Amino acid sequence: MDTDPMSSEPHPSDVELLRAHVAGDPDAFGELFGRHRDRLWAVALRTMGNPEDAADGLQDAMIAAFRRAGSFRGDSAVTTWLHRIVVNACLDRHRAAKVRRVEALPEDVEDRGSLVAAATPADGPEATALDRERRQRVLDALATLPVEQRAALVLVDMEGHSVAEAAEMLGCASGTVKSRCSRGRARLAPLLLDLDATPSAPGPGNPPGPGTVQSPRSPRGPPAS
């Protein structure tokens, strides 16, 4: 169990909550879902492309997780298991509908890995407006990708998961995830060549943060100045 530093009451771990749910505790699953709801919602929203379909996909996933809790073997973290169920539920909905969403992805979710550097209020209203426009362009471009490529990029580039973790969630080989990410970035590159993801180029002294995507570049290198 984990202990809240502001309280002496121990908190059950994710695994303990899942086991309690399987044992019949009526509140355990709700507490588990509540812990991870925001991030699971962000994954569903970015994968599906709009709030309505994301809500349906997340609901499908939570029903599946509720029913399949007894099959959890502990080979991975509970959060990885939940992410895998959410992503697969969203992919199943995409495949069933046989559509490719092209709407702009919503921005009303917590950014866990901004695709472009965010302006701050201190930068002024013009910089803030430009930042919003640039971010929307990236999200619009991401929404044009085939869903399998989008899912891989959401997990690796936006949510900050490793390739191995994303492969486990998507139920495919690490090489497949790498290929989908590579193809997705290549498809984004022509749409975003004029965007600079960070104020200064990443390097040994300025590495990109976890889960932060640099603006896609051409396979031949950065665009000429």
Side-chain angles (χ1 to χ4, degrees), residues 70-152:
S71 67
F72 178 74
R73 299 188 302 273
D75 297 336
S76 61
V78 172
T79 51
T80 300
W81 179 74
L82 289 172
H83 273 69
R84 179 169 63 244
I85 293 176
V86 170
V87 170
N88 286 333
C90 291
L91 293 179
D92 286 344
R93 278 193 166 265
H94 268 289
R95 290 163 182 154
K98 295 183 179 179
V99 296
R100 291 294 181 264
R101 298 288 181 181
V102 295
E103 300 95 341
L105 290 179
E107 296 184 66
D108 57 343
V109 295
E110 178 184 358
D111 258 333
R112 298 182 179 276
S114 181
L115 288 169
V116 281
T120 65
D123 295 323
E126 291 185 5
T128 301
L130 179 61
D131 171 71
R132 182 180 180 84
E133 179 182 349
R134 293 167 71 234
R135 287 157 60 87
Q136 188 61 52
R137 279 192 54 198
V138 173
L139 293 173
D140 288 347
L142 180 64
T144 67
L145 297 178
V147 64
E148 290 83 3
Q149 292 175 13
R150 188 197 308 181

